[in-house]
Amino acid sequence: EENMFADLGVGSNYVNTENEMEILKSSFLMKEVVKNLNLQYKIYKKGNIRDIDLYDDYSFSILSWTAANPESFHKISFIINAEQNKNQYTLFYNNKNYQGQFGQTLILPEGNITIVRLAKHNQLPIINHIIEIYNPDELALKYASSISTSLTGKKSTILHIKFSDQHPDRTKDILNELIRVYDSRQVSDKNRILRNTLSFIEERLAIISREVGDVEGDVARFKSSNQIMNLSAEGDIFLREQNSYNKTITELTIQEEILKGILEALSDNKSFEFV
């Protein structure tokens, strides 16, 4: 019972910090982070020395990708080019060029891809941009393994969470989303426990009500079979009779007082005559 209410956050301030540290490093939380932020898609601008990570600063985005063989899919890379103010683009992959249109699905041997061009960047050409698409589950495992947690002090329940990535903004977004997903799961879990607890209490109350009803029925049948009056009914009869007696006594007392007054009047005036 104590553990049940502790899970609900009632009656106890105990927090299993080690469990929370493991949960924050778990892949099932990171899978939701990857999904919410579309982290399986990465876009780079090809450079002379190194490629530039265009996280949150690109002129187009991948709307969807469906691998032809999801079970064996790990990662795929394309080079995309498009002229300014044009709705067409060219994908270069595996020594082949594929022509596509923004907003429409392009069917490839490895899967189907839909790319959309952002309106505010429509006038800019896309030159030698790299698209990398990852298996989201594998990427989540990789990110989760990079999460480290530690206590800020020996007796503290405050956690320090550390994560690093190539792009600082992506690093920040991943940590913030991880905390948001964690909090959301905590609330969801507590609500689930509360619903289950209330359901359990309601079931127990229903069982107890049925048991009480069965006992009352047995008592009523016993009294009926043995011609025993209901005690509460006897009490009601007694109260009604007592009230009736009290009312009669009050009336008789008033009449007695009236008679005493008449006798006193007759004694004071012996010449009093009745007409």
Side-chain angles (χ1 to χ4, degrees), residues 115-149:
I115 303 173
V116 293
R117 194 167 196 170
L118 304 182
K120 62 180 180 179
H121 298 298
N122 193 43
Q123 296 181 354
L124 298 177
I126 300 171
I127 303 173
N128 290 335
H129 281 41
I130 302 170
I131 298 174
E132 289 185 349
I133 303 177
Y134 295 81
N135 182 308
D137 292 342
E138 293 178 358
L139 185 63
L141 287 172
K142 177 185 175 182
Y143 281 157
S145 64
S146 300
I147 293 286
S148 64
T149 57

PDB file of all heavy atoms in Angstrom, residues 115-149:
ATOM      1  N   ILE A 115      10.227  15.271 -50.766  1.00  0.00           N
ATOM      2  CA  ILE A 115      10.994  16.444 -50.360  1.00  0.00           C
ATOM      3  C   ILE A 115      10.170  17.695 -50.642  1.00  0.00           C
ATOM      4  O   ILE A 115       9.529  17.805 -51.694  1.00  0.00           O
ATOM      5  CB  ILE A 115      12.336  16.521 -51.124  1.00  0.00           C
ATOM      6  CG1 ILE A 115      13.140  15.235 -50.903  1.00  0.00           C
ATOM      7  CG2 ILE A 115      13.156  17.727 -50.669  1.00  0.00           C
ATOM      8  CD1 ILE A 115      14.406  15.155 -51.746  1.00  0.00           C
ATOM      9  N   VAL A 116      10.165  18.623 -49.703  1.00  0.00           N
ATOM     10  CA  VAL A 116       9.432  19.884 -49.892  1.00  0.00           C
ATOM     11  C   VAL A 116      10.420  21.045 -49.798  1.00  0.00           C
ATOM     12  O   VAL A 116      11.373  21.013 -49.017  1.00  0.00           O
ATOM     13  CB  VAL A 116       8.311  20.059 -48.845  1.00  0.00           C
ATOM     14  CG1 VAL A 116       7.208  19.029 -49.057  1.00  0.00           C
ATOM     15  CG2 VAL A 116       8.850  19.949 -47.430  1.00  0.00           C
ATOM     16  N   ARG A 117      10.153  22.046 -50.620  1.00  0.00           N
ATOM     17  CA  ARG A 117      11.006  23.241 -50.612  1.00  0.00           C
ATOM     18  C   ARG A 117      10.333  24.298 -49.749  1.00  0.00           C
ATOM     19  O   ARG A 117       9.117  24.538 -49.874  1.00  0.00           O
ATOM     20  CB  ARG A 117      11.196  23.760 -52.032  1.00  0.00           C
ATOM     21  CG  ARG A 117      12.330  24.775 -52.173  1.00  0.00           C
ATOM     22  CD  ARG A 117      12.672  24.990 -53.647  1.00  0.00           C
ATOM     23  NE  ARG A 117      13.952  25.635 -53.817  1.00  0.00           N
ATOM     24  CZ  ARG A 117      14.566  25.771 -54.990  1.00  0.00           C
ATOM     25  NH1 ARG A 117      13.989  25.285 -56.085  1.00  0.00           N
ATOM     26  NH2 ARG A 117      15.737  26.364 -55.080  1.00  0.00           N
ATOM     27  N   LEU A 118      11.104  24.924 -48.884  1.00  0.00           N
ATOM     28  CA  LEU A 118      10.558  25.950 -48.011  1.00  0.00           C
ATOM     29  C   LEU A 118      10.356  27.243 -48.791  1.00  0.00           C
ATOM     30  O   LEU A 118      11.251  27.691 -49.506  1.00  0.00           O
ATOM     31  CB  LEU A 118      11.482  26.177 -46.815  1.00  0.00           C
ATOM     32  CG  LEU A 118      11.802  24.912 -45.986  1.00  0.00           C
ATOM     33  CD1 LEU A 118      12.693  25.266 -44.803  1.00  0.00           C
ATOM     34  CD2 LEU A 118      10.533  24.234 -45.509  1.00  0.00           C
ATOM     35  N   ALA A 119       9.177  27.840 -48.637  1.00  0.00           N
ATOM     36  CA  ALA A 119       8.797  28.989 -49.458  1.00  0.00           C
ATOM     37  C   ALA A 119       9.756  30.170 -49.294  1.00  0.00           C
ATOM     38  O   ALA A 119      10.081  30.855 -50.260  1.00  0.00           O
ATOM     39  CB  ALA A 119       7.373  29.417 -49.103  1.00  0.00           C
ATOM     40  N   LYS A 120      10.234  30.379 -48.065  1.00  0.00           N
ATOM     41  CA  LYS A 120      11.088  31.554 -47.835  1.00  0.00           C
ATOM     42  C   LYS A 120      12.462  31.422 -48.503  1.00  0.00           C
ATOM     43  O   LYS A 120      13.180  32.412 -48.652  1.00  0.00           O
ATOM     44  CB  LYS A 120      11.256  31.788 -46.332  1.00  0.00           C
ATOM     45  CG  LYS A 120      11.939  30.644 -45.595  1.00  0.00           C
ATOM     46  CD  LYS A 120      12.058  30.978 -44.118  1.00  0.00           C
ATOM     47  CE  LYS A 120      12.754  29.838 -43.358  1.00  0.00           C
ATOM     48  NZ  LYS A 120      12.892  30.163 -41.923  1.00  0.00           N
ATOM     49  N   HIS A 121      12.815  30.197 -48.912  1.00  0.00           N
ATOM     50  CA  HIS A 121      14.100  29.970 -49.570  1.00  0.00           C
ATOM     51  C   HIS A 121      13.918  29.557 -51.033  1.00  0.00           C
ATOM     52  O   HIS A 121      14.851  29.030 -51.645  1.00  0.00           O
ATOM     53  CB  HIS A 121      14.894  28.890 -48.844  1.00  0.00           C
ATOM     54  CG  HIS A 121      15.232  29.242 -47.425  1.00  0.00           C
ATOM     55  ND1 HIS A 121      16.012  30.328 -47.083  1.00  0.00           N
ATOM     56  CD2 HIS A 121      14.887  28.647 -46.258  1.00  0.00           C
ATOM     57  CE1 HIS A 121      16.150  30.385 -45.769  1.00  0.00           C
ATOM     58  NE2 HIS A 121      15.479  29.379 -45.247  1.00  0.00           N
ATOM     59  N   ASN A 122      12.763  29.827 -51.581  1.00  0.00           N
ATOM     60  CA  ASN A 122      12.460  29.347 -52.930  1.00  0.00           C
ATOM     61  C   ASN A 122      13.373  29.959 -53.985  1.00  0.00           C
ATOM     62  O   ASN A 122      13.652  29.357 -55.025  1.00  0.00           O
ATOM     63  CB  ASN A 122      10.998  29.638 -53.266  1.00  0.00           C
ATOM     64  CG  ASN A 122      10.529  28.902 -54.497  1.00  0.00           C
ATOM     65  OD1 ASN A 122      10.838  27.722 -54.676  1.00  0.00           O
ATOM     66  ND2 ASN A 122       9.788  29.587 -55.359  1.00  0.00           N
ATOM     67  N   GLN A 123      13.854  31.164 -53.729  1.00  0.00           N
ATOM     68  CA  GLN A 123      14.685  31.857 -54.710  1.00  0.00           C
ATOM     69  C   GLN A 123      16.149  31.441 -54.641  1.00  0.00           C
ATOM     70  O   GLN A 123      16.942  31.868 -55.487  1.00  0.00           O
ATOM     71  CB  GLN A 123      14.559  33.376 -54.508  1.00  0.00           C
ATOM     72  CG  GLN A 123      13.153  33.918 -54.764  1.00  0.00           C
ATOM     73  CD  GLN A 123      13.077  35.424 -54.573  1.00  0.00           C
ATOM     74  OE1 GLN A 123      14.043  36.051 -54.144  1.00  0.00           O
ATOM     75  NE2 GLN A 123      11.935  36.001 -54.886  1.00  0.00           N
ATOM     76  N   LEU A 124      16.506  30.643 -53.662  1.00  0.00           N
ATOM     77  CA  LEU A 124      17.899  30.216 -53.519  1.00  0.00           C
ATOM     78  C   LEU A 124      18.120  28.888 -54.219  1.00  0.00           C
ATOM     79  O   LEU A 124      17.297  27.975 -54.117  1.00  0.00           O
ATOM     80  CB  LEU A 124      18.260  30.077 -52.030  1.00  0.00           C
ATOM     81  CG  LEU A 124      18.177  31.353 -51.176  1.00  0.00           C
ATOM     82  CD1 LEU A 124      18.479  31.024 -49.726  1.00  0.00           C
ATOM     83  CD2 LEU A 124      19.133  32.421 -51.698  1.00  0.00           C
ATOM     84  N   PRO A 125      19.220  28.754 -54.939  1.00  0.00           N
ATOM     85  CA  PRO A 125      19.520  27.455 -55.561  1.00  0.00           C
ATOM     86  C   PRO A 125      20.020  26.456 -54.515  1.00  0.00           C
ATOM     87  O   PRO A 125      20.540  26.846 -53.464  1.00  0.00           O
ATOM     88  CB  PRO A 125      20.617  27.803 -56.562  1.00  0.00           C
ATOM     89  CG  PRO A 125      21.306  28.993 -55.971  1.00  0.00           C
ATOM     90  CD  PRO A 125      20.235  29.784 -55.261  1.00  0.00           C
ATOM     91  N   ILE A 126      19.829  25.195 -54.793  1.00  0.00           N
ATOM     92  CA  ILE A 126      20.339  24.122 -53.937  1.00  0.00           C
ATOM     93  C   ILE A 126      21.497  23.472 -54.684  1.00  0.00           C
ATOM     94  O   ILE A 126      21.304  22.866 -55.739  1.00  0.00           O
ATOM     95  CB  ILE A 126      19.242  23.092 -53.625  1.00  0.00           C
ATOM     96  CG1 ILE A 126      18.067  23.775 -52.908  1.00  0.00           C
ATOM     97  CG2 ILE A 126      19.784  21.952 -52.772  1.00  0.00           C
ATOM     98  CD1 ILE A 126      16.858  22.884 -52.747  1.00  0.00           C
ATOM     99  N   ILE A 127      22.697  23.649 -54.151  1.00  0.00           N
ATOM    100  CA  ILE A 127      23.893  23.172 -54.850  1.00  0.00           C
ATOM    101  C   ILE A 127      24.652  22.180 -53.963  1.00  0.00           C
ATOM    102  O   ILE A 127      25.127  22.541 -52.877  1.00  0.00           O
ATOM    103  CB  ILE A 127      24.816  24.348 -55.233  1.00  0.00           C
ATOM    104  CG1 ILE A 127      24.046  25.365 -56.088  1.00  0.00           C
ATOM    105  CG2 ILE A 127      26.055  23.853 -55.963  1.00  0.00           C
ATOM    106  CD1 ILE A 127      24.825  26.635 -56.380  1.00  0.00           C
ATOM    107  N   ASN A 128      24.729  20.964 -54.446  1.00  0.00           N
ATOM    108  CA  ASN A 128      25.516  19.914 -53.790  1.00  0.00           C
ATOM    109  C   ASN A 128      25.210  19.805 -52.283  1.00  0.00           C
ATOM    110  O   ASN A 128      26.112  19.819 -51.438  1.00  0.00           O
ATOM    111  CB  ASN A 128      27.014  20.138 -53.997  1.00  0.00           C
ATOM    112  CG  ASN A 128      27.426  19.896 -55.428  1.00  0.00           C
ATOM    113  OD1 ASN A 128      26.777  19.150 -56.160  1.00  0.00           O
ATOM    114  ND2 ASN A 128      28.507  20.539 -55.849  1.00  0.00           N
ATOM    115  N   HIS A 129      23.895  19.715 -51.979  1.00  0.00           N
ATOM    116  CA  HIS A 129      23.496  19.456 -50.601  1.00  0.00           C
ATOM    117  C   HIS A 129      23.405  17.937 -50.398  1.00  0.00           C
ATOM    118  O   HIS A 129      22.990  17.203 -51.294  1.00  0.00           O
ATOM    119  CB  HIS A 129      22.148  20.109 -50.285  1.00  0.00           C
ATOM    120  CG  HIS A 129      22.255  21.583 -50.021  1.00  0.00           C
ATOM    121  ND1 HIS A 129      23.049  22.412 -50.750  1.00  0.00           N
ATOM    122  CD2 HIS A 129      21.653  22.367 -49.096  1.00  0.00           C
ATOM    123  CE1 HIS A 129      22.934  23.658 -50.301  1.00  0.00           C
ATOM    124  NE2 HIS A 129      22.094  23.647 -49.267  1.00  0.00           N
ATOM    125  N   ILE A 130      23.789  17.513 -49.214  1.00  0.00           N
ATOM    126  CA  ILE A 130      23.794  16.088 -48.900  1.00  0.00           C
ATOM    127  C   ILE A 130      22.615  15.763 -47.986  1.00  0.00           C
ATOM    128  O   ILE A 130      22.396  16.445 -46.974  1.00  0.00           O
ATOM    129  CB  ILE A 130      25.111  15.680 -48.213  1.00  0.00           C
ATOM    130  CG1 ILE A 130      26.303  16.007 -49.112  1.00  0.00           C
ATOM    131  CG2 ILE A 130      25.111  14.197 -47.850  1.00  0.00           C
ATOM    132  CD1 ILE A 130      27.644  15.861 -48.410  1.00  0.00           C
ATOM    133  N   ILE A 131      21.863  14.754 -48.349  1.00  0.00           N
ATOM    134  CA  ILE A 131      20.776  14.252 -47.508  1.00  0.00           C
ATOM    135  C   ILE A 131      21.208  12.905 -46.936  1.00  0.00           C
ATOM    136  O   ILE A 131      21.578  12.000 -47.674  1.00  0.00           O
ATOM    137  CB  ILE A 131      19.475  14.072 -48.315  1.00  0.00           C
ATOM    138  CG1 ILE A 131      18.989  15.419 -48.881  1.00  0.00           C
ATOM    139  CG2 ILE A 131      18.394  13.434 -47.462  1.00  0.00           C
ATOM    140  CD1 ILE A 131      17.797  15.280 -49.805  1.00  0.00           C
ATOM    141  N   GLU A 132      21.151  12.799 -45.625  1.00  0.00           N
ATOM    142  CA  GLU A 132      21.424  11.521 -44.964  1.00  0.00           C
ATOM    143  C   GLU A 132      20.158  11.077 -44.220  1.00  0.00           C
ATOM    144  O   GLU A 132      19.563  11.860 -43.468  1.00  0.00           O
ATOM    145  CB  GLU A 132      22.588  11.646 -43.979  1.00  0.00           C
ATOM    146  CG  GLU A 132      23.935  11.824 -44.661  1.00  0.00           C
ATOM    147  CD  GLU A 132      25.086  11.822 -43.667  1.00  0.00           C
ATOM    148  OE1 GLU A 132      24.804  11.885 -42.438  1.00  0.00           O
ATOM    149  OE2 GLU A 132      26.245  11.767 -44.093  1.00  0.00           O
ATOM    150  N   ILE A 133      19.766   9.842 -44.451  1.00  0.00           N
ATOM    151  CA  ILE A 133      18.584   9.288 -43.795  1.00  0.00           C
ATOM    152  C   ILE A 133      19.019   8.059 -43.009  1.00  0.00           C
ATOM    153  O   ILE A 133      19.645   7.150 -43.552  1.00  0.00           O
ATOM    154  CB  ILE A 133      17.488   8.915 -44.816  1.00  0.00           C
ATOM    155  CG1 ILE A 133      17.102  10.148 -45.647  1.00  0.00           C
ATOM    156  CG2 ILE A 133      16.258   8.353 -44.097  1.00  0.00           C
ATOM    157  CD1 ILE A 133      16.080   9.860 -46.730  1.00  0.00           C
ATOM    158  N   TYR A 134      18.674   8.042 -41.721  1.00  0.00           N
ATOM    159  CA  TYR A 134      19.086   6.970 -40.827  1.00  0.00           C
ATOM    160  C   TYR A 134      17.879   6.130 -40.408  1.00  0.00           C
ATOM    161  O   TYR A 134      16.732   6.596 -40.426  1.00  0.00           O
ATOM    162  CB  TYR A 134      19.738   7.540 -39.566  1.00  0.00           C
ATOM    163  CG  TYR A 134      21.041   8.271 -39.814  1.00  0.00           C
ATOM    164  CD1 TYR A 134      21.051   9.598 -40.263  1.00  0.00           C
ATOM    165  CD2 TYR A 134      22.270   7.657 -39.584  1.00  0.00           C
ATOM    166  CE1 TYR A 134      22.243  10.278 -40.483  1.00  0.00           C
ATOM    167  CE2 TYR A 134      23.464   8.325 -39.795  1.00  0.00           C
ATOM    168  CZ  TYR A 134      23.444   9.632 -40.245  1.00  0.00           C
ATOM    169  OH  TYR A 134      24.624  10.297 -40.460  1.00  0.00           O
ATOM    170  N   ASN A 135      18.175   4.903 -40.010  1.00  0.00           N
ATOM    171  CA  ASN A 135      17.160   4.087 -39.356  1.00  0.00           C
ATOM    172  C   ASN A 135      16.883   4.717 -37.987  1.00  0.00           C
ATOM    173  O   ASN A 135      17.788   4.831 -37.156  1.00  0.00           O
ATOM    174  CB  ASN A 135      17.678   2.652 -39.180  1.00  0.00           C
ATOM    175  CG  ASN A 135      16.649   1.737 -38.541  1.00  0.00           C
ATOM    176  OD1 ASN A 135      16.096   2.043 -37.499  1.00  0.00           O
ATOM    177  ND2 ASN A 135      16.411   0.594 -39.160  1.00  0.00           N
ATOM    178  N   PRO A 136      15.641   5.180 -37.733  1.00  0.00           N
ATOM    179  CA  PRO A 136      15.370   5.919 -36.492  1.00  0.00           C
ATOM    180  C   PRO A 136      15.621   5.120 -35.225  1.00  0.00           C
ATOM    181  O   PRO A 136      16.083   5.672 -34.225  1.00  0.00           O
ATOM    182  CB  PRO A 136      13.887   6.310 -36.621  1.00  0.00           C
ATOM    183  CG  PRO A 136      13.334   5.401 -37.654  1.00  0.00           C
ATOM    184  CD  PRO A 136      14.446   5.068 -38.583  1.00  0.00           C
ATOM    185  N   ASP A 137      15.354   3.813 -35.254  1.00  0.00           N
ATOM    186  CA  ASP A 137      15.583   2.986 -34.059  1.00  0.00           C
ATOM    187  C   ASP A 137      17.074   2.857 -33.771  1.00  0.00           C
ATOM    188  O   ASP A 137      17.504   2.955 -32.608  1.00  0.00           O
ATOM    189  CB  ASP A 137      14.962   1.600 -34.246  1.00  0.00           C
ATOM    190  CG  ASP A 137      13.445   1.647 -34.272  1.00  0.00           C
ATOM    191  OD1 ASP A 137      12.881   2.661 -33.821  1.00  0.00           O
ATOM    192  OD2 ASP A 137      12.820   0.679 -34.742  1.00  0.00           O
ATOM    193  N   GLU A 138      17.866   2.663 -34.817  1.00  0.00           N
ATOM    194  CA  GLU A 138      19.310   2.561 -34.629  1.00  0.00           C
ATOM    195  C   GLU A 138      19.907   3.890 -34.180  1.00  0.00           C
ATOM    196  O   GLU A 138      20.817   3.925 -33.339  1.00  0.00           O
ATOM    197  CB  GLU A 138      19.969   2.088 -35.920  1.00  0.00           C
ATOM    198  CG  GLU A 138      19.611   0.660 -36.318  1.00  0.00           C
ATOM    199  CD  GLU A 138      20.255   0.242 -37.626  1.00  0.00           C
ATOM    200  OE1 GLU A 138      20.955   1.073 -38.244  1.00  0.00           O
ATOM    201  OE2 GLU A 138      20.060  -0.916 -38.047  1.00  0.00           O
ATOM    202  N   LEU A 139      19.376   4.981 -34.724  1.00  0.00           N
ATOM    203  CA  LEU A 139      19.865   6.303 -34.319  1.00  0.00           C
ATOM    204  C   LEU A 139      19.513   6.580 -32.862  1.00  0.00           C
ATOM    205  O   LEU A 139      20.317   7.162 -32.117  1.00  0.00           O
ATOM    206  CB  LEU A 139      19.257   7.381 -35.228  1.00  0.00           C
ATOM    207  CG  LEU A 139      19.760   8.809 -35.017  1.00  0.00           C
ATOM    208  CD1 LEU A 139      21.245   8.901 -35.330  1.00  0.00           C
ATOM    209  CD2 LEU A 139      18.976   9.792 -35.882  1.00  0.00           C
ATOM    210  N   ALA A 140      18.327   6.149 -32.446  1.00  0.00           N
ATOM    211  CA  ALA A 140      17.914   6.336 -31.051  1.00  0.00           C
ATOM    212  C   ALA A 140      18.840   5.569 -30.113  1.00  0.00           C
ATOM    213  O   ALA A 140      19.222   6.071 -29.044  1.00  0.00           O
ATOM    214  CB  ALA A 140      16.468   5.889 -30.866  1.00  0.00           C
ATOM    215  N   LEU A 141      19.202   4.360 -30.495  1.00  0.00           N
ATOM    216  CA  LEU A 141      20.135   3.574 -29.684  1.00  0.00           C
ATOM    217  C   LEU A 141      21.486   4.274 -29.572  1.00  0.00           C
ATOM    218  O   LEU A 141      22.099   4.320 -28.499  1.00  0.00           O
ATOM    219  CB  LEU A 141      20.313   2.181 -30.286  1.00  0.00           C
ATOM    220  CG  LEU A 141      19.150   1.205 -30.122  1.00  0.00           C
ATOM    221  CD1 LEU A 141      19.395  -0.059 -30.945  1.00  0.00           C
ATOM    222  CD2 LEU A 141      18.952   0.842 -28.664  1.00  0.00           C
ATOM    223  N   LYS A 142      21.940   4.849 -30.680  1.00  0.00           N
ATOM    224  CA  LYS A 142      23.221   5.557 -30.680  1.00  0.00           C
ATOM    225  C   LYS A 142      23.172   6.777 -29.764  1.00  0.00           C
ATOM    226  O   LYS A 142      24.086   7.009 -28.948  1.00  0.00           O
ATOM    227  CB  LYS A 142      23.572   5.980 -32.105  1.00  0.00           C
ATOM    228  CG  LYS A 142      24.851   6.792 -32.210  1.00  0.00           C
ATOM    229  CD  LYS A 142      25.080   7.274 -33.642  1.00  0.00           C
ATOM    230  CE  LYS A 142      26.296   8.193 -33.720  1.00  0.00           C
ATOM    231  NZ  LYS A 142      26.504   8.721 -35.092  1.00  0.00           N
ATOM    232  N   TYR A 143      22.095   7.582 -29.897  1.00  0.00           N
ATOM    233  CA  TYR A 143      21.962   8.770 -29.062  1.00  0.00           C
ATOM    234  C   TYR A 143      21.815   8.392 -27.587  1.00  0.00           C
ATOM    235  O   TYR A 143      22.392   9.038 -26.695  1.00  0.00           O
ATOM    236  CB  TYR A 143      20.763   9.600 -29.504  1.00  0.00           C
ATOM    237  CG  TYR A 143      21.018  10.449 -30.738  1.00  0.00           C
ATOM    238  CD1 TYR A 143      19.959  10.875 -31.543  1.00  0.00           C
ATOM    239  CD2 TYR A 143      22.294  10.833 -31.091  1.00  0.00           C
ATOM    240  CE1 TYR A 143      20.173  11.647 -32.673  1.00  0.00           C
ATOM    241  CE2 TYR A 143      22.522  11.613 -32.216  1.00  0.00           C
ATOM    242  CZ  TYR A 143      21.459  12.018 -32.999  1.00  0.00           C
ATOM    243  OH  TYR A 143      21.684  12.791 -34.118  1.00  0.00           O
ATOM    244  N   ALA A 144      21.020   7.358 -27.304  1.00  0.00           N
ATOM    245  CA  ALA A 144      20.791   6.944 -25.916  1.00  0.00           C
ATOM    246  C   ALA A 144      22.088   6.505 -25.254  1.00  0.00           C
ATOM    247  O   ALA A 144      22.326   6.777 -24.068  1.00  0.00           O
ATOM    248  CB  ALA A 144      19.758   5.822 -25.860  1.00  0.00           C
ATOM    249  N   SER A 145      22.954   5.844 -26.025  1.00  0.00           N
ATOM    250  CA  SER A 145      24.231   5.396 -25.471  1.00  0.00           C
ATOM    251  C   SER A 145      25.174   6.564 -25.194  1.00  0.00           C
ATOM    252  O   SER A 145      26.142   6.422 -24.440  1.00  0.00           O
ATOM    253  CB  SER A 145      24.908   4.407 -26.427  1.00  0.00           C
ATOM    254  OG  SER A 145      25.238   5.035 -27.651  1.00  0.00           O
ATOM    255  N   SER A 146      24.878   7.726 -25.784  1.00  0.00           N
ATOM    256  CA  SER A 146      25.722   8.908 -25.580  1.00  0.00           C
ATOM    257  C   SER A 146      25.250   9.758 -24.409  1.00  0.00           C
ATOM    258  O   SER A 146      25.919  10.724 -24.034  1.00  0.00           O
ATOM    259  CB  SER A 146      25.758   9.765 -26.852  1.00  0.00           C
ATOM    260  OG  SER A 146      26.280   9.031 -27.943  1.00  0.00           O
ATOM    261  N   ILE A 147      24.083   9.416 -23.843  1.00  0.00           N
ATOM    262  CA  ILE A 147      23.563  10.148 -22.693  1.00  0.00           C
ATOM    263  C   ILE A 147      24.266   9.657 -21.434  1.00  0.00           C
ATOM    264  O   ILE A 147      24.384   8.461 -21.191  1.00  0.00           O
ATOM    265  CB  ILE A 147      22.042   9.946 -22.542  1.00  0.00           C
ATOM    266  CG1 ILE A 147      21.291  10.594 -23.715  1.00  0.00           C
ATOM    267  CG2 ILE A 147      21.539  10.512 -21.208  1.00  0.00           C
ATOM    268  CD1 ILE A 147      21.225  12.097 -23.660  1.00  0.00           C
ATOM    269  N   SER A 148      24.751  10.570 -20.629  1.00  0.00           N
ATOM    270  CA  SER A 148      25.337  10.213 -19.339  1.00  0.00           C
ATOM    271  C   SER A 148      24.632  11.013 -18.241  1.00  0.00           C
ATOM    272  O   SER A 148      24.282  12.178 -18.440  1.00  0.00           O
ATOM    273  CB  SER A 148      26.835  10.492 -19.314  1.00  0.00           C
ATOM    274  OG  SER A 148      27.100  11.870 -19.462  1.00  0.00           O
ATOM    275  N   THR A 149      24.407  10.374 -17.113  1.00  0.00           N
ATOM    276  CA  THR A 149      23.741  11.025 -15.986  1.00  0.00           C
ATOM    277  C   THR A 149      24.576  10.839 -14.730  1.00  0.00           C
ATOM    278  O   THR A 149      25.246   9.813 -14.559  1.00  0.00           O
ATOM    279  CB  THR A 149      22.341  10.432 -15.757  1.00  0.00           C
ATOM    280  OG1 THR A 149      22.456   9.023 -15.536  1.00  0.00           O
ATOM    281  CG2 THR A 149      21.428  10.679 -16.948  1.00  0.00           C
TER     282      THR A 149
END
